[in-house]
Amino acid sequence: MDALVVILAGGVGERLWPLSTPERPKYLLKIGGISLIELAFRRGLLLGDAANIFVSTSQSNCANIQKAIPMLPKANIIAEPFVKNTATAICLSNEVLYHRFGSRPIIFMPSDSVIDAKNSFVDALVSAMAFVSAGNKMTVIGVSPWNISTQYGYIRIGSAMDRDKKIFSVDRFVEKPDRMTAKSYVQSDKYLWNTGMVISTTGFIQEAFRLYAQNIYEDVAKYIDGDNRAYGLSKGASFDRVILEKLKTLSVMVGDFGWEDVGSFEILAKYSSAKYLGLYKILNFALQKRWLLQPGRTGCTPSSIG
């Protein structure tokens, strides 16, 4: 498969503070002794060569990425001057790669996921790439929810586009719901967890930004041309909001693999070694009781953990 794979590693992971900080973001936390970013890189290797895997991150964390993934070519780190959100990160990465390779198949995936059933994961991505290559422009990956979660975004599916491959039209995206709403989604067969994986081509994504988010596209283009101030002009926004929700036609493939976003101490504890299990459970309990508050929220001043 000749697809380019871009791992999005820009977020700080404030919900996992104080273990995740701007200087040491969430994707450097380890699961079974392996950092989340390295696990994402290994998934990329299941889809192709290291030369076709790229990481989108901030300039301040390039050294962390190189240390965590020695196999990653230095030229394959696409650095933002500062993190603005997924729309700008994807636009910058896509534009850099379009300039290098022209219009190529491309996969964007988050750096902070835990995925089981590797063969099923690869099968889903290969099928999604084939679907896009057949002229369907862009598809995303969703998985059937297996518990009541208020931490994930959801996708409501529409009509079947290829029932054998479990591909449906996207009816709408839903932000993180309250518990009662999430419960109704789990009981329904119309909702999927949004994994954040996007499959398309660099050419189509460029067209989409020009059409739906021209200000972001122009600021990124100016930045690439050497205007360092331009990157700070556009507002930070999510790719879902400025692109995916505006597309007239978008499909979602149902992935038959286990997936979770490591976005809470509860989930981190689930996958951690016994050495850190107690710490993560204590931090999760402290947050629930509001004894420990994350940065930017009013309340007690947190103490450091060393």
Side-chain angles (χ1 to χ4, degrees), residues 137-152:
K137 305 295 186 181
M138 184 181 292
T139 191
V140 296
I141 303 293
V143 295
S144 298
W146 50 268
N147 68 7
I148 301 170
S149 176
T150 60
Q151 299 181 29
Y152 302 149

Side-chain angles (χ1 to χ4, degrees), residues 170-189:
V170 172
D171 181 60
R172 60 189 172 96
F173 290 88
V174 182
E175 291 297 322
K176 300 169 184 176
D178 58 41
R179 185 168 179 81
M180 289 299 295
T181 304
K183 182 178 180 180
S184 70
Y185 290 170
V186 174
Q187 293 172 340
S188 167
D189 61 355

Side-chain angles (χ1 to χ4, degrees), residues 31-53:
I31 299 291
I34 305 172
S35 67
L36 289 169
I37 187 69
E38 185 177 353
L39 287 172
F41 179 74
R42 291 184 182 188
R43 285 193 291 273
L45 289 175
L46 296 174
L47 302 169
D49 297 332
N52 286 338
I53 302 174

Side-chain angles (χ1 to χ4, degrees), residues 29-286:
L29 294 175
K30 293 185 177 182
I31 299 291
I34 305 172
S35 67
L36 289 169
I37 187 69
E38 185 177 353
L39 287 172
F41 179 74
R42 291 184 182 188
R43 285 193 291 273
L45 289 175
L46 296 174
L47 302 169
D49 297 332
N52 286 338
I53 302 174
F54 300 82
V55 174
S56 168
T57 191
S58 64
Q59 288 179 357
S60 60
N61 276 301
C62 288
N64 282 331
I65 296 296
Q66 288 181 271
K67 184 176 180 181
I69 318 174
M71 283 182 60
L72 181 72
K74 186 176 180 179
N76 287 22
I77 299 176
I78 302 173
E80 299 180 87
F82 46 85
V83 175
K84 300 207 68 175
N85 208 326
T86 53
T88 316
I90 288 176
C91 186
L92 175 62
S93 296
N94 190 79
E95 197 64 12
V96 167
L97 296 176
Y98 184 85
H99 279 271
R100 289 189 194 177
F101 303 106
S103 188
R104 286 272 297 273
I106 192 166
I107 300 168
F108 287 92
M109 61 176 65
S111 60
D112 51 4
S113 304
V114 174
I115 292 176
D116 295 328
K118 293 179 181 178
N119 289 339
S120 297
F121 166 76
V122 172
D123 289 345
L125 270 294
V126 170
S127 293
M129 286 304 312
F131 190 70
V132 167
S133 297
N136 293 287
K137 305 295 186 181
M138 184 181 292
T139 191
V140 296
I141 303 293
V143 295
S144 298
W146 50 268
N147 68 7
I148 301 170
S149 176
T150 60
Q151 299 181 29
Y152 302 149
Y154 289 73
I155 300 170
R156 178 177 168 83
I157 64 173
S159 58
M161 299 178 72
D162 189 326
R163 194 171 295 277
D164 290 339
K165 294 183 178 179
K166 297 184 179 180
I167 299 176
F168 300 83
S169 64
V170 172
D171 181 60
R172 60 189 172 96
F173 290 88
V174 182
E175 291 297 322
K176 300 169 184 176
D178 58 41
R179 185 168 179 81
M180 289 299 295
T181 304
K183 182 178 180 180
S184 70
Y185 290 170
V186 174
Q187 293 172 340
S188 167
D189 61 355
K190 291 291 186 180
Y191 290 88
L192 304 170
W193 280 336
N194 183 2
T195 68
M197 296 182 219
V198 178
I199 300 93
S200 187
T201 65
T202 54
F204 179 75
I205 291 177
Q206 184 188 74
E207 291 176 14
F209 271 102
R210 283 177 163 170
L211 181 61
Y212 299 113
Q214 187 175 6
N215 60 325
I216 294 177
Y217 177 80
E218 290 179 350
D219 290 343
V220 165
K222 290 176 183 176
Y223 172 71
I224 291 174
D225 287 340
D227 184 352
N228 292 329
R229 298 173 300 174
Y231 205 81
L233 297 178
S234 58
K235 295 181 179 179
S238 73
F239 184 72
D240 290 14
R241 181 67 55 86
V242 302
I243 299 296
L244 296 183
E245 293 179 5
K246 295 180 180 179
L247 292 175
K248 294 180 179 179
T249 303
L250 179 65
S251 58
V252 56
M253 170 172 283
V254 184
D256 290 325
F257 51 84
W259 171 91
E260 284 191 278
D261 170 76
V262 183
S264 70
F265 289 116
E266 181 180 7
I267 295 175
L268 190 59
K270 177 179 176 181
Y271 292 100
S272 69
S273 63
K275 178 180 178 181
Y276 297 106
L277 182 60
L279 171 62
Y280 298 156
K281 286 186 175 181
I282 290 170
L283 289 171
N284 184 58
F285 183 77

